[in-house]
Amino acid sequence: MQVVTTIAELRAQLDPMRREGRSIGFVPTMGYLHQGHAALVQAARRECDVVVVSIFVNPLQFAPSEDYESYPRDPERDRGILAAAEVDFLFQPDVREMYPRPLLTQVSVPELSATLEGRTRPTHFQGVATVVLKLFHIVGPHRAYFGQKDGQQVAVVRRLIEDLDLPIDLRAVETVREPDGLALSSRNVYLSPEERQAAPCLHEALLQGREAALAGQGSRAVQAAIEERIRRTPLACLDYAAVVDPRTMQPKSDLTGPVMLAVAASLGRTRLIDNLVLEL
Ligand code: AMP
């Protein structure tokens, strides 16, 4: 695996490969890797000739009150994981390389970004869309791999690709979970032992919602079922439970076709999200 820290060097490496007709798969991450990231890398390894992973904790997608400074980092360990997964290139730029001057240009997908996560994190998806578009232009991938765990991010990036005619195939990869159902996340490391014990309530709430949906209940009842399970967990504080269209992120009242059940809750100072997509 080659570790590359500059845009010029990465382009110099990848341009000839692209010209030779080799397919490039790209997995953007913020590091502190776990089995969820590994699943994206494995999918890229299966489907592409050249696999590029980026590690960049993007300041643009954190609000001033959020955990940019304290976001967990372990570059040494990450490199070991990626080398073992037979990644070809690790792109690990610093903030000056990605943002050498004040950024006057940003991209956003407002309609998809205002709901759910956007209510609590109003600038988050503009930061995500901007860095993802920059990374797409730097890497020039044929396929890009994103985790379904961040379902709204998948919707935002999918729409960005469609609206701007980017020649990239977005591949959404199933959420990887702990045996007790908790979705893997770099932020799980913040949880105290008691909070960690309570954290599977998000997944349990979604399963309860799914049961209600499969039993033919309407979206309000499904939402209430999700809320009820979170409210029954003393350590958890519900942010939202929602039943939405997985492409538009708009509330879905008619429960047919693909439906996304989404939940966000805080356990102490840690905010967790999760979702399930159902085909009804
Ligand atoms: P992050 O490093 O948190 O920005 O995540 C990088 C990529 O890994 C994103 O596309 C995430 O959706 C994906 N990801 C994070 N957690 C999981 C998980 N538990 N299962 C599958 N993909 C995940």
Side-chain angles (χ1 to χ4, degrees), residues 27-40 54-56 61 71 145-151 153-154 171 173-178 182-188 274:
V27 183
T29 83
M30 298 203 299
Y32 211 71
L33 303 176
H34 51 63
Q35 287 304 313
H37 299 108
L40 307 190
S54 64
I55 295 182
F56 180 61
Q61 70 193 65
Y71 193 83
Y145 295 81
F146 288 83
Q148 185 54 47
K149 194 211 135 214
D150 299 286
Q153 175 169 277
V154 168
R171 317 285 281 176
V173 175
E174 270 300 295
T175 301
V176 178
R177 300 176 181 283
E178 299 282 4
L182 174 64
L184 298 191
S185 162
S186 305
R187 290 190 170 102
N188 291 351
D274 202 349

Side-chain angles (χ1 to χ4, degrees), residues 117 120-121 187 239-240 264-267 269-273:
E117 286 302 286
T120 309
R121 313 183 73 191
R187 290 190 170 102
D239 183 350
Y240 63 77
S266 294
L267 286 102
R269 289 171 46 233
T270 308
R271 194 165 166 283
L272 299 179
I273 60 171

Side-chain angles (χ1 to χ4, degrees), residues 238-254:
L238 179 72
D239 183 350
Y240 63 77
V243 180
V244 299
D245 180 305
R247 283 197 171 248
T248 65
M249 295 292 118
Q250 298 306 310
K252 190 148 177 170
S253 47
D254 168 28

